[in-house]
Amino acid sequence: MAAPPPAYDAPTAVPVAAPVAAPVAPIAHPVGGAPGQWSSGTFDCFNDMNTCLCGTFCTPCQEMQTKAFLEGRPMGALDYVLGIGMGILALYYVGWICEAWCNMENRKKIKERFNIVDPTGRSGMVPMDYVCSCCCVACVSCQHARELNIRGVNPTLPKNNAAPPVAAPMKQ
C-alpha cells in the first residue's frame, strides 16, 4: 500500500494595504541652476482644461494672475480690475497690445527665474518668444500658467507641500 500524500497547507492571505499616492513635490529650478526647458509646449493647452478655459475666455485675467504669482502674492482686486480692463480694451483692439506686452514680460520673468533656454541653447527672450507672445496670446498665457502650476509657484496653496488629508473608509 502506498503512503498517503503529504498534507497540503493552503497559503494564508496576507492583507495588503491600498497604495497611497505620495505627495508630488514641486519642481524648483532657481536662477543660475542647470538650464532647463519648458515643462509643456506652447500648444499643449488641452493638458489642463481649467487653465485652457481660463486662458481662452479670460486671457487678461490669467496674465494678471501669472504676474501676481511671479511676484509671490495671490491675485488681488486690482489684478482683476486690470485684467477685465484689458479684456474690454481688447474688444477695440487696443487691449491686444497690452496683453502681448504682459505676455512678453511674464515670459521673460519665467525664463529668467527657472533658467529656461530655447532648443538651441540660447537664454533670454529670442525672436520666437516675441512672435508667440504676440500671435498666440491665449496659448502662451496658458503655457505660463501651466509652468507655474507644475513648478509649484502658487501662493494660494499651502507652503508645507503636505499631501491633502485622506478620509478614512466608512464603517458599515
Side-chain angles (χ1 to χ4, degrees):
M1 196 176 216
Y8 175 74
D9 292 331
T12 58
V14 177
V16 178
V20 178
V24 177
I27 303 168
H29 298 287
V31 174
Q37 298 291 322
W38 291 98
S39 300
S40 63
T42 305
F43 302 107
D44 291 340
C45 300
F46 296 110
N47 290 350
D48 178 3
M49 286 308 293
N50 290 334
T51 302
C52 177
L53 292 172
C54 182
T56 301
F57 296 109
C58 195
T59 307
C61 290
Q62 188 174 52
E63 290 169 1
M64 297 309 293
Q65 180 186 43
T66 299
K67 179 182 180 294
F69 287 2
L70 284 169
E71 293 172 356
R73 60 182 177 80
M75 190 171 175
L78 182 60
D79 296 313
Y80 284 107
V81 169
L82 290 173
I84 292 169
M86 279 196 304
I88 292 170
L89 289 175
L91 297 174
Y92 301 102
Y93 300 105
V94 178
W96 177 83
I97 297 166
C98 298
E99 288 181 36
W101 180 77
C102 285
N103 249 347
M104 285 186 266
E105 287 298 311
N106 286 341
R107 193 166 191 84
K108 179 180 173 185
K109 289 177 184 176
I110 290 171
K111 287 184 81 168
E112 287 173 357
R113 183 171 184 169
F114 300 116
N115 199 19
I116 295 174
V117 297
D118 73 341
T120 62
R122 295 181 293 176
S123 62
M125 294 290 281
V126 295
M128 188 54 120
D129 290 325
Y130 292 108
V131 170
C132 286
S133 294
C134 291
C135 299
C136 309
V137 176
C139 294
V140 170
S141 180
C142 289
Q143 182 185 28
H144 296 164
R146 278 192 315 275
E147 192 71 25
L148 295 183
N149 287 338
I150 290 169
R151 294 185 188 256
V153 181
N154 185 340
T156 60
L157 295 176
K159 297 291 183 198
N160 61 5
N161 293 331
V166 178
M170 294 179 61
K171 295 181 182 177
Q172 293 183 3

